[in-house]
Amino acid sequence: MTQQTTEERIAFVDWIRVIACFMVMLVHASENFYGADDSGLAGNMAKLANESNRFWVAFYDGTVARTAVPLFVTISAFLLVPMKPGLSMGAFYKRRFLRILPPMFIFMLLYCFLPLAWGGMTWEASMADLRLLPWNFPSMAGHLWFMYPLISLYLIIPVVSPWLEKASAKDERLFLYIFAFSTLLPWLHRFVSQELWGECFWNGFHALWYCSGYLGYLVLAHYIRFHIHWTDSKRMHVGLWCFIIGAVFTSFWMKGVPGVAIETPMLEWSWEFCTPNVLLATFGLFLLFSTIHRPAPRIITSLANLSFGMYLMHLFFLAPIASYVIGGSVAEPLLPVWLAIPVIAVGTFVCCFITTKLITLLPGSKWIVGA
């Protein structure tokens, strides 16, 4: 979601930002069809109504859209790492955080209080959410979890940037091998042990802690930009196969049994962002996008510039649109599930674009939507 100036605009990055923003909405549109309660988004428990929902949720939430978050991380790192020469840590923090923190806090407050207007929450719940700020996101804004890993990445970029400037391709590959191995952890935690490599109730930092998580995608972005010098033909060939293999496996695990409640993390275990299959799919899709060299059309650059604000507000639109399309029954929505999910996502995307664009006409809009 990093803003680009005209001079440094990279065409395929704009495309990624727009597509990834839509993917986020597609993921949340899918969640309406396996949430175990009436909130729309998936909570701690999930339940699939029938086999059709089971298949299409896995297809859209897993195969099509699961790379959304890693793509956002990767393009941010692609543009920001290494840091510009002479840019201090303090200056970097000021520039990055002044862009994302004011809109983040404004929307946190909106998610705390705006649902009161239509009876979406009680005053007690609203005040409970307010007391939680800024320690965590409001209960009605689960998507804002991503802001905290993004803050973490911004904090670490000035630390790792000097190393990346000096590291050889071989050094970076070694780190990426360790990171790739660390992506097995979600599976090992579920099927081997909840405590691995030093983890216990008094220590949550395992042996691979500092080589795991979204930092790996940051290094991957730098490696792609500075050490992969493949032709477009090879990028397309390798990228397509990596995406297909990773995406198919991501969708393959369909643990849920229609009509039976299941813990949501168990249903989603193959969809986690730091798993081998999502890493492979992200790498492949990024390579495919990197073959785009023509400047993006104006509508795409406009959407890319507004993507941060669209992401922040999208749950305000997604919930009522989903409620209308579903029509009271996720088992028999007004539209067939294969069509309902993308219709919800497209409707949300269009409403967010129009609203964010109108907000940018106001003075000081950058403090609201970051654009």
Side-chain angles (χ1 to χ4, degrees), residues 94-142:
K94 181 179 180 180
R95 184 177 300 177
R96 291 294 101 209
F97 292 132
L98 278 180
R99 179 169 185 265
I100 67 168
L101 291 185
M104 171 186 168
F105 288 127
I106 286 174
F107 272 90
M108 281 184 165
L109 290 171
L110 288 173
Y111 280 105
C112 281
F113 294 108
L114 198 55
L116 290 169
W118 56 82
M121 67 192 309
T122 64
W123 269 107
E124 290 76 13
S126 178
M127 295 309 297
D129 280 352
L130 182 63
R131 285 192 294 270
L132 192 62
L133 303 185
W135 309 111
N136 216 334
F137 51 83
S139 58
M140 299 289 285

Side-chain angles (χ1 to χ4, degrees), residues 231-244:
T231 63
D232 283 351
S233 176
K234 184 174 181 178
R235 284 173 181 252
M236 292 185 68
H237 183 78
V238 174
L240 183 62
W241 277 109
C242 286
F243 175 72
I244 289 174

Side-chain angles (χ1 to χ4, degrees), residues 54 58 62 190-191 247-256 262 264-271 277:
R54 180 174 182 260
R190 278 169 176 72
F191 301 110
V248 167
F249 186 88
T250 302
S251 184
F252 178 76
W253 179 263
M254 295 183 285
K255 178 69 175 177
I262 183 175
T264 301
M266 196 62 197
L267 179 72
E268 296 181 337
W269 78 266
S270 73
W271 304 348
N277 45 297

Side-chain angles (χ1 to χ4, degrees), residues 20-150:
C21 184
F22 176 73
M23 284 178 172
V24 170
M25 299 177 193
L26 194 63
V27 165
H28 292 152
S30 302
E31 290 188 13
N32 285 273
F33 293 89
Y34 67 91
D37 55 38
D38 297 327
S39 65
L41 298 183
N44 293 331
M45 298 299 295
K47 183 186 287 187
L48 294 159
N50 50 45
E51 284 293 338
S52 178
N53 287 20
R54 180 174 182 260
F55 176 82
W56 290 111
V57 162
F59 176 74
Y60 286 118
D61 205 340
T63 301
V64 176
R66 191 42 54 168
T67 56
V69 167
L71 282 174
F72 271 133
V73 172
T74 307
I75 58 173
S76 292
F78 191 85
L79 295 172
L80 297 175
V81 180
M83 291 167 52
K84 293 181 179 179
L87 185 65
S88 69
M89 178 182 286
F92 177 84
Y93 288 163
K94 181 179 180 180
R95 184 177 300 177
R96 291 294 101 209
F97 292 132
L98 278 180
R99 179 169 185 265
I100 67 168
L101 291 185
M104 171 186 168
F105 288 127
I106 286 174
F107 272 90
M108 281 184 165
L109 290 171
L110 288 173
Y111 280 105
C112 281
F113 294 108
L114 198 55
L116 290 169
W118 56 82
M121 67 192 309
T122 64
W123 269 107
E124 290 76 13
S126 178
M127 295 309 297
D129 280 352
L130 182 63
R131 285 192 294 270
L132 192 62
L133 303 185
W135 309 111
N136 216 334
F137 51 83
S139 58
M140 299 289 285
H143 66 300
L144 295 183
W145 72 268
F146 173 69
M147 295 304 300
Y148 293 93
L150 183 64

